[in-house]
């Protein structure tokens, strides 16, 4: 079928203004939006710029706003985004746009790195593995699935307006360790999240949960971290 | 403007191998990791099924059985000393990851759980053994995340979205010696020269020479290509693994864990055909055997679907809870991309290009070799880019996540140790000259050839002529196609003339590596007149130990032609036997 893709283009080497450009490509209904973007880049305009790698939803490279919603281009099929009308594609919101669909990921990764996203333990290491029951392992399973795609953080209205807020992903990243029975860094981590730009900024709009391509219950994770903070006091 | 940096150790690549190396060398020496992708985007994250080690957490097992399986699985082309090192160090490699925080699935006693995987057996082939340690079907994701988290903890220095395009070397009386690398910064288009005492290549594989592949768009073999263009050898490049279960038509992988959990392959007649090909371990035979069996079913008319072009992976007899707990991601791939519900429907599958057994030859310290023996001072390689060789002619599932951890760690340690003992070498004059010339030529020349067209034609000929079944005719066809494409590549042009995030330009450069590596693969395959592991020649359907029990060593000559040489296989405990399962 013939599909029109309308892409918000921006290249400061050429112009300070972003402009919408439309492209016609042929695509199967079961093709990915990423396939259509590749057709534009490979056959029509080589300067179209976006990130991608795995092409099946596991590397987190290609979060973008497709028809106004944050999604991974490689996990979104053409048939699911109403291809009878032009499909709009624009960069995720809230991070500086560098070129076309490429945004500056550094502020996002900085937030992740600031919550101590690594196992903290004290004392001597055991010779074999640490023991953990499968139930304890399951306790934090949901948040281990995160691929750092930023779809959640850049769908959050608080994040758009407040440049300081960590954003939902950082809380997901902290949750993964706070609820890991092997971890001993929870106090420090909760202290970081208790910051005025931390977890309390969340206004529970659920955009993040809806945006997450891994199906992580992001809002629930944030609520659990809030509760952990309250019960700690 | 060119910026110059100085590091004791420069690691190229931030997948599992690169980051495991960085954790070692970063704590000992000034280390930088240069990576064309953000570390967590690396394709290690796509690995699903598991990482094996003879922990014996659920049943009797030991590293010697693991060594044997690796050697036999590799059709005896494995260097047995290396396989032994890997199987022994596997146990600590898994325990180290657990201590770093990796969330493995657990047994009832709270230990790391283990499951079956193709070719891993008890007591030299008696029955399948539970050796694969896993986190659902996201083991690679967990490894990549855990290693990145440790790199954050230890303050490892990354240069993200830096494309390394050249290796700097110096001629000395004893041979070549490494002095650094040249990198292209994607964001700005600037060139950076890194002066280093040790360089570790950990750039992964080159699955994108094929059309149907489980590999990421970015797996274009840059590291192998760079080394190759320096006139340094590549080993066993004809051995490429085709994984049996790619989603039909797409190549997206469905882990062997699906069969480890009890999944069954069926043809259009609903027959469990693997019973005919491997009566003992059936669907869990090594990948090359299963892939050929599938292709053969299709060739003989027992394929399913409108074009009879694929077979089925049947999970419908497995309990839903088991599918959800152990195979959540891959079943979601089937739903998302094929609209198939694995609880109730069989999944269309066909072999997909998956893993490069060959690569930059190294010894068990990760030191790269200039020929059959000579170490290149300061150059290391680990992971899929390297050929140690622990995978021989066919890699066993779960042995690569193991390889990247064991040999990534070793390369990091030895590269740091070497760097600590020497002074910086001077860089050549204009170290960046070659890279600048290549880029200017591509960006500014007004050629008429399109990158995408050449790449598509390359992938098409490789899929048709150099896949699961090969013969002299098909390989010669592939070779002449590649030569034609290389001639056209000289006139390739890019549309994007800018400096900022010029991915158009980088795709053109990556295509150059793919063309070079496809040629090496095909030339090596043409000369190997036998069938072994992943390399199957219909005109020579048997293994020939008299003439070919040896590694291929390919060299690029000054005039661009390829010279083939051979290297003996290291044999310690095991005498070659026929591979039956
Ligand atoms: C879908 C899939 C499933 C798999 N499942 C399993 C499994 O269950 N068990 C198992 O053992 N194995 C599995 N494998 C194989 C295994 O995952 C890979 O072989 C292994 O992860 C490779 O790791 P690596 O570190 O060598 O390379 P990669 O993880 O591919 O990393 C390569 C790195 O090199 C960088 N790079 C590349 N070129 C350049 C350049 N020019 N300049 C700078 N940086 C560069 C990239 O940015 C990246 O960081 C699977 C493979 C696939 C594709
Ligand atoms: S929580 Fe989900 S949406 Fe947010 S970064 Fe992780 S995977 Fe992406
Ligand atoms: S390209 Fe990897 S998530 Fe889309």
């Amino acid at each position: 079928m013939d599909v029109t893709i309308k892409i918000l283009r921006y290249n400061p080497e050429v112009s300070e203004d972003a402009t919408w450009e439309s492209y016609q490509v042929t695509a199967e209904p079961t093709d990915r939006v990423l396939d259509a973007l590749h057709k534009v880049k490979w056959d029509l305009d080589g300067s179209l710029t976006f990130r991608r790698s795995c092409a099946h939803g596991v590397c987190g490279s290609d979060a973008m706003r497709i028809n106004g919603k944050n999604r991974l281009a490689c996990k979104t099929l053409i048939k699911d985004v109403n291809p009878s009308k032009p499909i709009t594609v624009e960069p995720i919101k809230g991070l500086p746009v560098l070129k076309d669909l490429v945004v500056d990921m550094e502020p996002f990764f900085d937030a992740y790195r600031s919550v101590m996203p690594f196992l903290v333990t004290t004392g001597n290491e055991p010779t074999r593995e640490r023991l953990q029951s499968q139930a304890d392992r399951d306790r934090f399973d949901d948040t281990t699935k995160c691929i750092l795609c930023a779809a959640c953080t850049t769908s959050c209205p608080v994040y758009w307006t407040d440049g300081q807020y960590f954003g939902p992903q950082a809380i997901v990243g902290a949750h993964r360790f706070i609820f890991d029975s092997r971890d001993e860094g929870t106090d420090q981590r909760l202290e970081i999240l208790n910051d005025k730009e931390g977890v309390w900024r969340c206004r529970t709009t659920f955009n993040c949960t809806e945006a997450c391509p891994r199906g992580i219950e992001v809002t629930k994770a944030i609520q659990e971290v809030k509760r952990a903070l309250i019960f700690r006091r | 403007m060119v910026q110059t940096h100085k590091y004791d150790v420069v690691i190229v690549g931030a997948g599992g191998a690169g980051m495991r190396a960085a954790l070692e060398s970063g704590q000992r020496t000034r280390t930088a990791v240069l990576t064309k992708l953000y570390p967590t985007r690396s394709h290690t994250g796509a690995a699903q099924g598991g990482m094996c080690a003879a922990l014996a957490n659920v049943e009797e097992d030991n590293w010697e059985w693991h060594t044997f399986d690796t050697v036999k699985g590799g059709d005896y082309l494995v260097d047995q000393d290396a396989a032994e090192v890997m199987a022994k160090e596997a146990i600590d490699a898994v325990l180290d990851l657990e201590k770093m925080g990796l969330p493995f699935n657990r047994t009832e006693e709270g230990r790391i759980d283990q499951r079956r995987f193709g070719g891993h057996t008890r007591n030299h082939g008696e029955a399948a053994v539970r050796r694969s340690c896993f986190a659902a079907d996201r083991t690679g994701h967990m490894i990549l995340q855990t290693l990145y988290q440790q790199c954050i903890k230890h303050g490892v220095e990354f240069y993200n979205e830096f494309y390394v395009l050249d290796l700097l070397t110096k001629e000395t009386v004893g041979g070549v010696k490494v002095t650094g690398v040249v990198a292209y910064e994607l964001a700005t288009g600037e060139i950076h020269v890194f002066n280093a005492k040790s360089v570790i290549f950990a750039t992964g594989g080159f699955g994108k020479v094929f059309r149907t592949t489980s590999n990421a768009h970015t797996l274009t073999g840059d590291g192998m290509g760079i080394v190759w263009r320096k006139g340094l050898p590549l080993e066993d490049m004809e051995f490429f693994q085709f994984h049996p279960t790619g989603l039909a038509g797409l190549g997206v992988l469905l882990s062997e864990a699906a069969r480890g959990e009890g999944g069954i392959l069926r043809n259009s007649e609903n027959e469990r055909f693997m019973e005919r090909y491997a009566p003992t371990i059936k669907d869990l035979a090594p990948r090359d055997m299963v892939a050929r069996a599938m292709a053969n079913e299709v060739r003989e008319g027992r394929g399913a679907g409108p074009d009879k072009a694929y077979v089925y992976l049947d999970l419908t007899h497995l309990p839903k809870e088991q599918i959800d707990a152990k195979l959540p991601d891959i079943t979601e791939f089937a739903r998302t991309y094929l609209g198939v519900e694995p609880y109730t429907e069989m999944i269309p599958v066909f072999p997909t290009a998956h893993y490069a057994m060959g690569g930059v030859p190294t010894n068990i310290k990760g030191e790269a070799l200039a020929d059959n023996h000579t170490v290149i001072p300061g150059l290391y390689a680990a992971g899929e880019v390297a050929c140690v060789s622990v995978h021989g002619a066919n890699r066993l599932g779960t042995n690569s996540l193991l390889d990247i951890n064991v040999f990534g760690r070793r390369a990091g340690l030895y590269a740091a140790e070497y760097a600590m003992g020497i002074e910086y070498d001077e860089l050549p004059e204009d170290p960046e000259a070659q890279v600048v010339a290549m880029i200017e030529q591509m960006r500014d020349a007004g050629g008429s050839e399109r990158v995408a067209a050449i790449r598509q034609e390359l992938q098409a000929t490789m899929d048709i002529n150099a896949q699961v079944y090969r013969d002299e005719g098909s390989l010669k066809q592939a070779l002449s196609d590649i030569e034609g494409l290389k001639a056209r590549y000289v006139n390739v042009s890019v549309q994007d003339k800018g400096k900022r995030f010029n991915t158009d330009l980088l795709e053109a450069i990556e295509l150059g590596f793919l063309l070079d590596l496809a040629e090496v693969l095909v030339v090596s395959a043409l000369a190997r007149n036998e069938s072994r592991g992943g390399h199957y020649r219909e005109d020579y359907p048997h293994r020939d130990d008299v003439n070919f029990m040896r590694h291929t060593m390919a060299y690029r000559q000054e005039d661009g032609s390829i010279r083939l040489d051979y290297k003996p296989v290291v044999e310690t405990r095991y005498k070659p036997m026929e591979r039956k399962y």
Side-chain angles (χ1 to χ4, degrees), chain A residues 13 41-42 46 51 53 59 74-75 98-99 106 117 126 128-130 134 137 144 146 176 182, chain B residues 38 41 57 98-99 101 103 106 112 141 149 161 217-218 332 337 450 455 495-496 500 503 507:
Chain A
E13 278 184 297
K41 182 175 182 69
W42 292 343
R51 293 189 177 103
S53 183
C59 78
C74 67
K75 220 184 164 180
L98 300 176
K99 182 179 173 186
E106 281 308 313
R128 294 283 300 198
E129 70 263 50
R130 290 193 176 76
Q134 185 61 35
R137 160 69 179 77
T144 63
C146 176
R176 180 249 169 275
R182 300 169 297 176
Chain B
Y38 269 84
R41 313 293 184 223
N57 277 1
E98 196 284 328
K99 287 171 198 167
R106 299 289 173 154
I112 296 168
H141 166 75
Q149 290 157 358
E161 304 195 311
H217 285 289
T218 46
E332 189 183 319
Y337 297 110
R450 301 289 315 245
R455 188 175 46 215
Q495 286 179 317
D496 194 336
R500 215 177 158 85
T503 52
E507 278 191 37

Side-chain angles (χ1 to χ4, degrees), chain A residues 10-13 30 32 34-35 38 40-61 74-77 79-80 97-99 102-106 108-109 112-113 117-121 125-134 137 140-141 144-150 176-177 180 182 213-214, chain B residues 37-38 40-43 45-46 48 55-57 91-92 95 97-113 135-136 138 141-142 145-146 148-150 152-153 160-161 186-187 214-219 250 252-253 329 332-333 336-338 450 452-453 455-456 495-504 507 510:
Chain A
Y10 169 70
N11 181 359
E13 278 184 297
T30 52
R32 300 161 261 209
L34 179 64
D35 298 322
H38 271 145
V40 175
K41 182 175 182 69
W42 292 343
D43 301 338
L44 302 174
D45 184 349
S47 71
L48 176 66
T49 305
F50 50 90
R51 293 189 177 103
R52 50 72 176 131
S53 183
C54 73
H56 64 286
V58 295
C59 78
S61 295
C74 67
K75 220 184 164 180
T76 307
L77 302 191
K79 67 181 169 62
D80 298 329
V97 181
L98 300 176
K99 182 179 173 186
V102 174
V103 300
D104 182 1
M105 294 296 288
E106 281 308 313
F108 170 80
F109 276 103
Y112 175 62
R113 289 187 286 252
F118 41 79
L119 191 75
V120 177
T121 56
E125 300 226 307
T127 41
R128 294 283 300 198
E129 70 263 50
R130 290 193 176 76
L131 298 182
Q132 181 171 55
S133 71
Q134 185 61 35
R137 160 69 179 77
F140 62 102
D141 186 58
T144 63
K145 297 187 302 197
C146 176
I147 53 173
L148 292 157
C149 72
R176 180 249 169 275
F177 289 98
D180 186 335
R182 300 169 297 176
R214 298 289 284 158
Chain B
L37 301 172
Y38 269 84
T40 57
R41 313 293 184 223
S42 304
H43 211 54
Q48 302 165 353
L55 298 182
N57 277 1
I91 295 164
D92 277 335
L95 296 178
L97 286 169
E98 196 284 328
K99 287 171 198 167
M100 291 178 195
L102 197 139
F104 284 108
N105 278 44
R106 299 289 173 154
T107 64
E108 290 195 350
E109 299 77 42
R111 298 208 167 276
I112 296 168
D113 199 5
R138 310 185 177 111
H141 166 75
M142 300 302 183
Q145 297 293 328
T146 301
Y148 182 58
Q149 290 157 358
Q150 290 296 306
I152 295 173
K153 181 174 177 184
N160 295 330
E161 304 195 311
L186 183 64
S214 64
N215 282 198
H217 285 289
T218 46
L219 285 175
L250 290 171
V252 172
L253 193 78
D329 276 6
E332 189 183 319
F333 298 153
T336 306
Y337 297 110
L338 293 186
R450 301 289 315 245
R455 188 175 46 215
Q456 260 161 27
Q495 286 179 317
D496 194 336
K497 306 291 181 194
K499 291 199 154 241
R500 215 177 158 85
F501 285 93
N502 192 337
T503 52
D504 201 20
E507 278 191 37
E510 289 171 337

Side-chain angles (χ1 to χ4, degrees), chain A residues 56, chain B residues 11-19 34-39 41-52 117 132 139-140 144 162-165 183 201-205 213-216 218-223 226 243 251-256 287 353-356 382-386 395-404 510 513:
Chain A
H56 64 286
Chain B
I11 299 172
V12 186
M19 290 203 282
L34 279 49
T35 170
K36 72 177 183 182
L37 301 172
Y38 269 84
R41 313 293 184 223
S42 304
H43 211 54
T44 291
Q48 302 165 353
M51 163 169 172
C52 56
F117 236 82
S132 164
T139 316
L144 192 69
F162 273 58
Y163 285 66
V164 170
L165 298 179
F201 274 99
T203 49
T213 175
S214 64
N215 282 198
T218 46
L219 285 175
T220 49
D222 308 3
I226 291 166
H243 191 295
V252 172
L253 193 78
L254 303 183
S255 171
E256 197 169 287
R287 291 174 177 176
H354 186 56
Y355 183 86
E384 197 168 334
V385 67
R395 171 174 74 82
L396 287 190
T398 69
N399 262 352
S400 172
L401 291 178
L402 177 59
D403 172 5
I404 62 180
E510 289 171 337
F513 294 132

Side-chain angles (χ1 to χ4, degrees), chain B residues 263-485:
Chain B
I264 290 171
L265 293 166
R266 298 186 186 282
N267 59 23
S268 61
E269 294 158 15
N270 212 28
E271 181 205 7
R272 182 178 191 179
F273 56 85
M274 281 313 297
E275 283 178 335
R276 269 187 280 122
Y277 296 87
T280 312
I281 57 175
K282 304 183 180 91
D283 299 274
L284 285 176
R287 291 174 177 176
D288 59 309
M289 294 179 138
V290 181
R292 271 196 305 280
M294 291 167 66
N296 194 51
E297 290 300 297
V298 166
R299 280 209 309 196
E300 293 183 354
R302 291 184 296 277
D307 302 324
K308 292 175 167 274
Y310 50 74
V311 300
Y312 289 118
L313 175 64
D314 183 3
L315 306 179
T316 56
H317 54 291
L318 301 181
K320 274 188 190 177
E321 307 75 60
Q322 185 186 353
I323 291 182
D324 291 347
K326 304 286 181 63
L327 307 168
D329 276 6
I330 60 165
T331 42
E332 189 183 319
F333 298 153
R335 288 183 197 110
T336 306
Y337 297 110
L338 293 186
V340 166
E341 176 47 69
Y343 294 149
T344 53
E345 293 173 278
M346 299 198 287
I347 311 166
V349 290
F350 199 70
T352 182
H354 186 56
Y355 183 86
M357 268 77 73
V360 178
T362 71
N363 60 22
I364 54 176
K365 293 162 103 180
E367 294 169 323
L369 302 176
D371 52 39
N372 288 3
H373 314 283
T374 317
V375 164
I376 304 160
L379 187 62
Y380 299 78
E384 197 168 334
V385 67
C387 181
V388 191
S389 136
V390 284
H391 308 304
N394 170 61
R395 171 174 74 82
L396 287 190
T398 69
N399 262 352
S400 172
L401 291 178
L402 177 59
D403 172 5
I404 62 180
N405 277 286
V406 167
F407 292 101
R409 174 177 162 276
R410 283 180 159 249
L413 274 174
Y414 292 116
E417 186 182 276
Y418 173 75
M420 285 187 287
I422 60 156
E423 296 301 315
Y424 282 100
D425 235 311
E426 263 170 57
L427 289 170
E429 277 205 22
D430 294 331
E432 72 285 1
Q434 233 177 331
V435 169
V436 171
M438 170 169 75
I439 287 172
E440 281 176 359
Q441 142 77 22
M442 275 190 196
R443 196 169 43 200
D444 306 332
S448 54
E449 293 286 351
R450 301 289 315 245
V451 172
I454 296 179
R455 188 175 46 215
Q456 260 161 27
E457 287 179 45
L458 171 70
Q459 293 170 341
T461 185
M462 291 299 283
D463 265 23
I464 296 168
N465 295 311
Q467 222 225 21
V468 174
Y469 289 109
R470 304 165 171 177
D471 65 24
E472 185 178 330
S474 75
L475 290 168
K476 282 195 166 150
Q477 181 62 49
L479 186 59
S480 93
D481 290 346
I482 294 166
E483 276 162 7
L485 293 170

